[in-house]
């Protein structure tokens, strides 16, 4: 079975731009979570979706938004990019949610110049 | 809010030495999960502990969940260079924002 896939792998943007990151969960998994990992730190929770509904939101500004599609894939959108948004963005899928094992994708490395 | 701290932040050992990382949560956890992240990679699930006082072993790795379900430890016996990476514990936050809170991580370096 395929694991969690994310696209793109790497991305370079400039301040003020908008970015969309994509994630496809493991087949059969209905929950997708998004994390931001700044170099040298642990992943920080951004959003969790289950059955297309937002089930959790971390301490991130409204510039961050996400959605989950009927096929359980997900998009993370970030508007008005700041230099501080440069990070590895990780998507994790699980059967039902945050109490379950999280299976991480390879991540999208976002650099904001 | 919930905080999950790990010590040490970094440890450098010689191959064959033992290694332990400790995880402490500010709140009681329903479960604790451990992940390993290799340099340049993504977190990979290792194990989940649920019961108070639970001990689980995976080959050279031993995981413990504290009696009060607020702390945990990971012990590696006779480290190998393949153990290099950052080890994170993570606990669910059952507050208003349902989420998984990751610890600060312990970076392990193993040299010959």
């Amino acid at each position: 079975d395929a694991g969690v896939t994310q696209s793109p792998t790497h991305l370079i943007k400039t301040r003020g731009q908008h970015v969309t990151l994509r994630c496809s969960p493991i087949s059969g998994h209905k929950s997708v979570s998004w994390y931001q990992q700044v170099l040298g730190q642990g992943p920080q929770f951004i959003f969790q979706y289950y059955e297309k509904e937002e089930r959790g939101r971390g301490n991130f500004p409204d510039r961050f938004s996400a959605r989950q599609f009927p096929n359980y894939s997900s998009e993370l959108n970030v508007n008005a990019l700041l230099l501080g948004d440069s990070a590895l963005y990780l998507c994790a899928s699980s059967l039902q949610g945050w109490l379950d094992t999280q299976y991480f994708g390879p991540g999208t490395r976002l650099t904001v110049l | 809010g919930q905080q999950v701290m790990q010590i040490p932040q970094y440890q450098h050992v010689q191959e064959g030495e033992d290694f332990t990382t400790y995880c402490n949560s500010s709140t009681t956890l329903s479960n604790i999960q451990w992940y390993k992240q290799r340099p340049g990679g993504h977190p990979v699930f290792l194990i989940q502990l649920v019961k108070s006082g639970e001990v689980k072993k995976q080959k050279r790795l031993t995981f413990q969940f504290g009696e009060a379900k607020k702390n945990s430890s990971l012990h590696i016996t006779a480290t190998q260079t393949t153990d290099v990476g950052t080890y994170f514990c993570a606990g669910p936050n059952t507050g208003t924002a349902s989420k998984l809170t990751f610890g600060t991580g312990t970076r392990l370096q193993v040299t010959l």
Side-chain angles (χ1 to χ4, degrees), chain B residues 8 15 20 24-25 30 33-35 39 43 47 49-50 53 72 75 78 83 88 92 106 110:
Chain B
E15 192 176 48
T20 304
N24 290 285
S25 171
S30 58
Q33 301 172 24
W34 283 91
Y35 294 81
I47 207 161
L49 305 172
V50 179
S72 181
H75 179 83
D83 296 325
F88 292 100
T106 295
V110 181

Side-chain angles (χ1 to χ4, degrees), chain A residues 27-91:
Chain A
S27 177
H29 285 193
K30 298 182 178 181
S31 177
V32 169
S33 297
W34 286 96
Y35 294 82
Q36 180 195 66
Q37 187 175 28
V38 174
L39 196 62
Q41 297 182 17
Q44 298 293 313
F45 174 79
I46 309 175
F47 287 108
Q48 192 234 330
Y49 277 78
Y50 176 68
E51 289 280 16
K52 302 179 292 295
E53 290 189 3
E54 182 184 302
R55 290 295 181 89
R57 172 186 281 258
N59 189 23
F60 280 81
D62 291 344
R63 299 184 296 107
F64 289 76
S65 64
R67 55 180 175 168
Q68 187 177 33
F69 299 100
N71 66 354
Y72 301 111
S73 67
S74 178
E75 282 182 355
L76 174 70
N77 294 282
V78 186
N79 291 323
L81 285 168
L82 303 174
L83 295 178
D85 295 331
S86 295
L88 179 67
Y89 287 85
L90 296 160
C91 170

Side-chain angles (χ1 to χ4, degrees), chain A residues 35 45-48 54-60 98-99, chain B residues 1-2 27 91-101:
Chain A
Y35 294 82
F45 174 79
I46 309 175
F47 287 108
Q48 192 234 330
E54 182 184 302
R55 290 295 181 89
R57 172 186 281 258
N59 189 23
F60 280 81
W98 42 270
L99 287 177
Chain B
Q2 179 191 43
T27 59
N93 181 343
T94 55
T96 54
S98 301
K99 63 179 183 179
L100 193 64
T101 299

